[in-house]
Amino acid sequence: MRIHRLPSRQTDRDYPHLRKKIDRNAKMMHSSGMSAHATLLPTEKIQAIESPPMLYKPATPLACTVLRNERLTPEDYSEDVRHIVIDLRDRDYVYAEGQSMGVMAPGTTPDGKAHRVRLYSIASPGAGEPGYERAVALCVKRVVYETEEQRMEGICSNFLCDLREGDTVPITGPNGKNFALPADDETDLLLFGTGTGIAPFRSFLMNLHSRPKPYGANVHLFFGSRLKIDHIYANDLNDDLLKHSQNERFQIHSALSRENPAQKVYVADLLKMKQELIEPILDRKNFAIYICGLKGMEKGIEAFVRDYLSRKSGKTVEDGEWAELKESLKKAGRWAQEVY
Ligand SMILES: Cc1cc2nc3c(=O)[nH]c(=O)nc-3n(C[C@H](O)[C@H](O)[C@H](O)COP(=O)(O)OP(=O)(O)OC[C@H]3O[C@@H](n4cnc5c(N)ncnc54)[C@H](O)[C@@H]3O)c2cc1C
């Protein structure tokens, strides 16, 4: 069924005959159980790269050795973020890009129970951390929080950030199968990361750039942080992400929310600024969206996609309908989010 696409709702005033036609189409689709917006989204399920199953459970963690603990933010900067490399030589731990690793901090809770596992996105490609025989890296931010009485340190992040070369780290997993790269290379990738949420995208990009045949579709990484210095893997201390040459099909876009107080740019703002680049990708209907990082960051991205669908169909996407559409994108493997 053909849908007439209007550039904006404002044109309803200018083309009332088209509005009638759209409403008629929408009614027909509604009666046939199909949403007007659904036809603007890709429905074909993506075949993903296979993710290995969980090999190590919390009851039987795997003891590994730390090879490196490198600070990714300056010593005198308030945020302490680390690149921690863990040795996997002589270990049967295998993982795919987009999976997380569990870490069990030693010690017990005040009521004597073992600390629960904390998850960390794997920052290395499935083939292993470059420069090491067989290793995997995590990107960890030291969590500190204040209660009314005292300053407290997050259990696992502080354990990890304080590790030294040669120390033992008990790991579990790998976890998760829903944040996997598409198996074919025709799917446009829209990647959104904030803070340590950049970790899985480092692993994605390293995979894509190590392939003998270059990735065939567009890849756009939208990356948000407060300042240039906490642009993890893209600052003076470590520029792993910037090592990949950019071209028309592969681009990194950065949003800095505190660098210039007069111009705070968040990932959602950047999307609007790059609308002309992104909308043709949504129009082509063979995309996958990946979101990782701060809880709440997904809202701006959802608003952008909802707005696009509303403008294209000439009909506002209501909350309930959006929830259904997002669910169908998730089921098709075209919307993956890990926010924490
Ligand atoms: C899929 C996934 C992937 C992740 N990937 C990463 C990653 O790549 N890098 C990364 O750094 N993190 C990542 N995380 C977050 C990580 O798992 C941990 O949640 C984080 O490191 C904090 O753990 P912690 O043990 O240091 O803090 P915890 O000790 O668990 O404390 C965390 C928070 O709990 C609250 N809290 C706990 N106890 C108290 C108390 N007594 N009083 C008041 N408040 C309290 C505070 O708000 C505190 O900030 C990921 C999470 C998920 C789910």
Side-chain angles (χ1 to χ4, degrees):
M1 186 175 307
R2 182 168 160 69
I3 308 235
H4 291 271
R5 293 173 179 175
L6 294 181
S8 78
R9 286 193 64 77
Q10 209 183 347
T11 51
D12 287 6
R13 278 202 310 269
D14 309 328
Y15 305 104
H17 60 291
L18 280 187
R19 153 87 7 245
K20 273 189 193 155
K21 206 160 189 173
I22 286 167
D23 287 345
R24 219 172 32 241
N25 278 349
K27 246 188 213 158
M28 282 164 65
M29 280 186 277
H30 185 73
S31 61
S32 69
M34 195 200 306
S35 142
H37 306 107
T39 59
L40 295 171
L41 290 170
T43 47
E44 196 190 325
K45 195 169 164 41
I46 292 183
Q47 205 58 42
I49 288 182
E50 207 171 316
S51 301
M54 177 185 264
L55 297 163
Y56 290 91
K57 297 193 171 148
T60 53
L62 175 68
C64 292
T65 306
V66 174
L67 291 175
R68 187 172 165 82
N69 181 346
E70 166 194 349
R71 195 167 159 146
L72 296 173
T73 49
E75 286 294 335
D76 56 355
Y77 184 56
S78 57
E79 306 272 298
D80 181 2
V81 183
R82 307 288 179 130
H83 180 70
I84 298 165
V85 183
I86 297 167
D87 197 357
L88 290 183
R89 278 174 302 181
D90 307 320
R91 301 288 190 275
D92 58 357
Y93 195 96
V94 282
Y95 61 89
E97 295 78 8
Q99 287 193 291
S100 303
M101 173 184 281
V103 175
M104 294 190 73
T108 54
T109 59
D111 55 1
K113 293 189 182 131
H115 289 299
R116 65 177 169 79
V117 167
R118 267 68 159 184
L119 293 179
Y120 294 90
S121 302
I122 292 174
S124 308
E129 178 66 6
Y132 294 86
E133 199 180 316
R134 211 177 104 70
V136 62
L138 303 178
C139 170
V140 182
K141 180 182 154 186
R142 189 187 290 277
V143 171
V144 177
Y145 54 98
E146 315 260 341
T147 65
E148 268 176 22
E149 300 84 37
Q150 56 185 320
R151 181 180 178 277
M152 308 272 281
E153 295 182 340
I155 302 288
C156 196
S157 60
N158 281 270
F159 161 67
L160 283 166
C161 290
D162 289 336
L163 286 171
R164 289 161 186 249
E165 196 181 311
D167 284 348
T168 299
V169 54
I171 67 170
T172 62
N175 294 69
K177 289 177 184 273
N178 297 331
F179 211 86
L181 277 168
D184 79 82
D185 69 353
E186 294 304 320
T187 310
D188 292 326
L189 305 179
L190 297 175
L191 317 174
F192 300 94
T194 52
T196 53
I198 200 65
F201 302 132
R202 177 182 185 269
S203 118
F204 276 19
L205 296 192
M206 285 181 161
N207 170 310
L208 300 182
H209 286 272
S210 63
R211 295 181 181 192
K213 180 174 161 250
Y215 194 72
N218 294 293
V219 182
H220 287 275
L221 169 63
F222 292 85
F223 179 13
S225 68
R226 296 191 318 158
L227 302 165
K228 266 189 201 148
I229 47 170
D230 55 7
H231 233 31
I232 308 303
Y233 298 121
N235 63 18
D236 293 344
L237 296 169
N238 182 314
D239 64 354
D240 283 356
L241 288 179
L242 305 179
K243 282 180 193 146
H244 305 291
S245 62
Q246 298 193 43
N247 55 45
E248 209 182 305
R249 307 201 92 181
F250 164 66
Q251 293 183 30
I252 298 178
H253 314 275
S254 70
L256 300 169
S257 62
R258 294 287 181 280
E259 192 71 27
N260 176 359
Q263 202 194 2
K264 294 181 178 176
V265 183
Y266 294 92
V267 166
D269 302 317
L270 201 56
L271 255 177
K272 284 188 205 137
M273 288 152 76
K274 302 284 175 180
Q275 196 163 347
E276 280 164 24
L277 208 62
I278 303 308
E279 289 198 351
I281 290 180
L282 300 179
D283 283 343
R284 227 179 352 263
K285 295 207 283 181
N286 185 15
F287 61 81
I289 290 176
Y290 300 82
I291 303 169
C292 189
L294 282 182
K295 201 174 254 172
M297 68 172 289
E298 70 279 13
K299 298 283 173 238
I301 299 155
E302 292 186 21
F304 179 87
V305 178
R306 269 174 84 161
D307 180 56
Y308 153 83
L309 292 172
S310 300
R311 279 182 289 111
K312 286 284 163 178
S313 65
K315 208 163 185 303
T316 306
V317 180
E318 304 298 344
D319 290 354
E321 191 188 359
W322 169 247
E324 274 176 36
L325 290 170
K326 187 175 154 187
E327 202 45 44
S328 61
L329 283 175
K330 276 188 181 172
K331 278 192 186 135
R334 295 182 184 274
W335 186 290
Q337 76 183 43
E338 263 171 14
V339 289
Y340 47 86

